């Protein structure tokens, strides 16, 4: 049926589980039709908002379209849409920012309420009703199983040859009946290439023909190249010390341009025979698979630029068996990340001198995107690394601060901090040692003296010498930025 007919079945107040993860595999037509429907309801004076659940961020046709007509009451989990962000920050939209590995199980536990309908993009439907997943799997298995109704969008633009790239694990149970997940290596299959779907639940099938969001990555600049080089040097050192094998351990890489640039650096670096156990596969990892630096990659989404997507589709058979796309509760599973010893590399907004990391908030209160999977990986990684340029907004912001204005990853989950200035290896260091190392290695020279001065005053004034702070001063840099437009005195 048409997207309009399908969307007309979605009712005000429903929780809607949509496919989509970092701009890949999201429904392209029904959300827009739903937005038109909502707009008409509002014009007629009828309230109409939904709870919108996804895998992670989607695209303007989904998050943007629904937010622009004021159609979202509650959003979860990770998002990166400007309209959604503005509505969250104005207090108009509720946003529940939870670890990506938690979402599916929270729905199974009944923690998030009832899921009324699933709207899922697929690459095809088999005669027996099983579904060929699209460019992401995300939470689709859970949405299909937990929702009362299922609406399918069959996107004919997605390559039919995606069949066989997925591994959907059907062995999970709920506590107290959970068993170990039998996955030992990143390239291992433990599930099925298809999503099961009860045909009795399917209330609509809509044909589409549209590409994924496909944002372009900025070419690596000098700053991100420097960050990449510090990480390469560090990994080489770890190999030399016998703490990492020559082919390293499975890589996880977060979202954004810096993460992408670090992968480009690794591709040119001295390593070979690498593997990846990650959630997002961006261009950088596709290039590493092309060059052979990376043998295989496990992910939950193919988040590629238009050029990389074209290349992937034209050479899809070269990647068959080397890329596995899994549900996000498996790609981000703490048990598996810990077992395989994943090397986690995530971007951040700021870190404080003790190594607490803020990945989500600007100046303490305003959401940027969300925690995404960074916490799943940081807490359970073999080595958890966080990276950022040392300054933002032309130097008016230091990304190393006395106290983080919001904490997503506590000092206990952060072993390495990297800026273009250098890499601080914090393993085995006590808080004051961590502070000196972070300031001397990672902070921008403009802010280094002020950070040392803060630490010195904290040591004189604090009520304890383990993690000294001047409580009345700890967030003064943020406060000064908000008041004057710069953290500089
Ligand atoms: O502002 O957009 O106005 O120019 O923040 O900064 O440097 O472009 O950052 O695109 O690499 O994203 C942490 C947000 C980094 C991302 C974050 C300003 C800066 C700029 C963006 P403008 P950059 P990136 C797996 C892993 C959480 C989820 C995660 C993210 C804007 O990586 O969302 O890791 N991570 N998931 O100017 C105020 C500071 C700032 C600052 C930078 N200290 N204070 N503003 N900015 N530093 C994937 C998933 O989970 C799906």
């Amino acid at each position: 049926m048409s997207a309009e007919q399908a969307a007309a079945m979605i009712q005000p107040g429903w929780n809607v589980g949509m496919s989509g993860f970092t701009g890949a595999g999201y429904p392209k037509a029904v959300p827009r039709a739903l937005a038109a429907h909502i707009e008409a309801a509002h014009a007629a004076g009828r309230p109409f908002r939904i709870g919108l659940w996804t895998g992670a961020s989607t695209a303007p046709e989904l998050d943007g379209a629904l937010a622009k007509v004021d159609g979202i009451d509650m959003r979860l989990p990770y998002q990166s849409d400007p309209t959604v962000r503005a509505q969250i920050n104005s207090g108009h939209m509720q946003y529940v920012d939870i670890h990506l590995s938690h979402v599916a199980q929270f729905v199974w536990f009944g923690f998030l309420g009832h899921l009324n309908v699933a709207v899922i993009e697929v690459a095809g439907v088999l005669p027996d009703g099983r579904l060929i997943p699209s460019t992401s799997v995300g939470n689709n298995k859970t949405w299909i199983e937990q929702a009362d109704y299922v609406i399918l969008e069959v996107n004919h633009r997605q390559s039919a040859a995606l069949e066989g790239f997925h591994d959907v694990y059907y062995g999970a149970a709920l506590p107290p009946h959970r068993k170990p997940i039998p996955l030992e290596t990143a390239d291992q299959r433990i599930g099925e290439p298809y999503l099961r779907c009860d045909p009795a639940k399917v209330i609509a099938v809509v044909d589409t023909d549209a590409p994924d969001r496909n944002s372009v990555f900025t070419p690596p600049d000098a700053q991100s190249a420097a960050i990449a080089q510090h990480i390469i040097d560090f990994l080489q050192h770890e190999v030399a010390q016998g703490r990492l094998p020559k082919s390293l351990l499975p890589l996880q890489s977060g979202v954004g341009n810096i993460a992408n640039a670090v992968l480009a650096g690794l591709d040119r670096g001295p390593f070979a025979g690498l593997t990846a156990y990650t959630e997002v596969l961006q261009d950088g990892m596709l290039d590493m698979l092309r060059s052979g630096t990376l043998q295989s990659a496990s992910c939950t989404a193919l988040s590629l630029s238009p050029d990389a997507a074209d290349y992937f589709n034209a050479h899809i058979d070269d990647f068959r068996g080397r890329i596995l796309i899994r549900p996000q509760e498996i790609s981000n599973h703490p048990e598996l990340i810990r077992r395989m010893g994943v090397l986690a590399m995530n971007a951040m907004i700021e870190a404080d001198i003790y190594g607490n990391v803020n990945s989500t908030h600007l100046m303490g209160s305003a959401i940027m995107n969300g925690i995404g999977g960074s916490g799943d990986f940081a807490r359970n990684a073999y080595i958890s690394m966080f990276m950022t340029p040392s300054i933002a907004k032309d130097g008016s912001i230091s990304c190393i601060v006395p106290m983080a204005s919001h904490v997503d990853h506590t000092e206990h989950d952060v072993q390495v901090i990297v800026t273009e200035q250098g890499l601080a290896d914090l393993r085995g260091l006590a808080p004051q040692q961590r502070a000196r190392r972070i300031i001397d290695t990672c902070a921008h020279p403009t802010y280094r003296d002020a950070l040392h001065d803060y630490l010195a005053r904290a040591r004189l004034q604090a009520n304890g010498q383990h993690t000294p702070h001047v409580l009345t001063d700890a967030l003064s840099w943020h406060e000064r930025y908000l008041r004057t437009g710069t953290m500089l005195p």
Side-chain angles (χ1 to χ4, degrees):
M1 65 176 71
S2 70
E4 288 68 28
Q5 287 170 306
M9 291 190 265
I10 298 174
Q11 299 300 312
W14 275 13
N15 287 324
V16 183
M18 296 211 188
S19 62
F21 199 106
T22 51
Y26 57 93
K28 314 285 190 287
V30 173
R32 269 211 282 231
L34 177 60
H37 203 62
I38 290 172
E39 199 168 29
H42 288 173
R46 292 194 310 275
F48 196 152
R49 296 177 91 198
I50 60 164
L52 176 61
W53 308 354
T54 62
S57 52
T58 64
E61 308 96 287
L62 197 169
D63 267 300
L66 288 168
K68 278 185 183 133
V69 297
D70 190 18
I72 309 172
D73 173 46
M74 199 280 281
R75 180 75 177 89
L76 68 83
Y78 183 84
Q79 62 73 41
S80 62
D81 183 82
T83 314
V84 170
R85 186 183 294 138
Q87 290 189 9
I88 297 168
N89 285 328
S90 73
H92 187 62
M93 189 190 296
Q94 305 307 309
Y95 177 44
V96 181
D97 186 20
I98 49 185
H99 297 298
L100 293 185
S101 75
H102 279 176
V103 182
Q105 68 166 12
F106 279 11
V107 175
W108 284 98
F109 297 164
F111 291 177
L112 302 179
H114 186 70
L115 184 62
N116 300 94
V117 64
V119 184
I120 309 292
E121 177 177 289
V122 294
V125 184
L126 299 187
D128 65 9
R130 286 179 298 164
L131 311 171
I132 303 169
S134 182
T135 41
S136 67
V137 175
N139 286 315
N140 296 352
K141 170 184 173 289
T142 294
W143 295 169
I144 290 169
E145 290 176 331
Q146 285 281 307
D148 297 331
Y149 307 110
V150 174
I151 294 173
L152 297 175
E153 280 198 8
V154 185
N155 187 352
H156 300 279
R157 187 73 65 96
Q158 302 290 17
S159 172
L162 274 173
E163 184 172 0
F165 271 80
H166 308 88
D167 188 57
V168 186
Y169 180 58
Y170 276 95
L174 297 182
H177 306 292
R178 274 197 177 150
K179 299 274 190 297
I181 297 171
L183 185 72
E184 292 177 9
T185 56
D187 59 357
Q188 190 186 337
R189 282 189 167 279
I190 55 169
E192 307 169 13
Y194 307 108
L195 287 159
R196 301 176 192 166
C197 181
D198 175 3
K201 280 189 178 183
V202 180
I203 55 170
V205 180
V206 176
D207 287 307
T208 64
D209 187 349
D212 277 331
R213 182 189 66 196
N214 291 346
S215 348
V216 179
F217 294 100
T218 55
D221 58 9
Q223 251 181 0
S224 44
I227 291 175
Q229 193 55 50
H230 295 315
I231 293 181
I232 291 165
D233 293 346
F234 170 72
L235 294 174
Q236 275 189 294
H237 176 73
E238 289 301 294
V239 173
Q241 295 298 308
R243 290 190 286 254
L244 278 176
K246 271 196 177 128
S247 57
L248 306 180
L249 287 165
L251 304 173
Q252 178 258 339
S253 164
V255 279
N257 292 319
I258 291 189
N260 207 51
V262 167
L263 294 173
L266 276 171
D267 201 15
R268 287 191 301 274
F271 304 108
L274 307 186
T275 58
Y277 197 78
T278 190
E279 53 192 315
V280 191
L281 195 151
Q282 298 189 153
D283 289 17
M285 265 191 194
L286 195 77
D287 288 342
M288 291 173 82
L289 285 162
R290 279 169 71 170
S291 71
T293 308
L294 198 60
Q295 268 175 4
S296 66
S298 163
C299 64
T300 192
L302 298 179
S303 193
L304 302 172
S305 70
D307 288 351
D310 287 347
Y311 183 91
F312 174 75
N313 287 323
H315 301 84
I316 194 160
D317 284 325
D318 296 350
F319 299 102
R320 193 169 293 284
R322 297 174 68 207
I323 295 177
L324 283 179
I325 312 174
R326 308 178 191 272
Q328 72 192 61
E329 71 267 32
I330 299 296
S331 65
N332 288 35
H333 202 292
E335 173 194 343
L336 306 175
I337 294 164
R338 183 75 67 96
R339 177 178 298 143
M340 285 183 252
V342 170
L343 298 170
M345 301 178 286
N346 289 296
M348 63 174 167
I349 287 170
E350 66 181 1
D352 68 26
I353 53 173
Y354 295 113
N356 298 288
V357 163
N358 169 13
S359 291
T360 56
H361 283 68
L362 304 182
M363 302 298 147
S365 308
I367 192 75
M368 179 70 192
N369 302 324
I371 193 166
S374 55
D376 296 323
F377 285 93
R379 170 65 55 88
N380 301 292
Y382 185 82
I383 302 175
S384 163
M385 297 173 249
F386 280 95
M387 50 212 186
T388 178
S390 63
I391 47 175
K393 303 287 181 205
D394 297 326
S396 59
I397 293 176
S398 172
C399 298
I400 305 296
V401 289
M403 180 183 265
S405 62
H406 175 94
V407 178
D408 297 286
H409 313 290
T410 72
E411 49 162 322
H412 315 284
D413 296 333
V414 179
Q415 283 103 41
V416 169
I417 287 186
V418 199
T419 69
E420 80 290 349
Q421 301 290 324
L423 180 147
D425 178 1
L426 306 172
R427 291 170 300 171
L429 299 188
Q432 288 202 33
Q433 297 171 313
R434 287 166 73 98
R436 282 187 212 100
R437 175 125 350 142
I438 291 172
I439 298 169
D440 290 337
T441 317
C442 297
H444 193 273
T446 319
Y447 287 98
R448 226 171 253 168
D449 289 346
L451 288 165
H452 274 304
D453 172 63
Y454 175 83
L455 181 60
R457 284 185 293 115
R459 293 182 63 203
L460 284 175
Q461 296 176 32
N463 64 322
Q465 289 300 312
H466 183 57
T467 311
H469 270 299
V470 186
L471 293 180
T472 49
D473 217 7
L475 295 169
S476 62
W477 292 28
H478 299 85
E479 190 273 329
R480 184 159 52 239
Y481 176 81
L482 290 173
R483 196 163 33 84
T484 68
T486 177
M487 284 184 172
L488 288 166

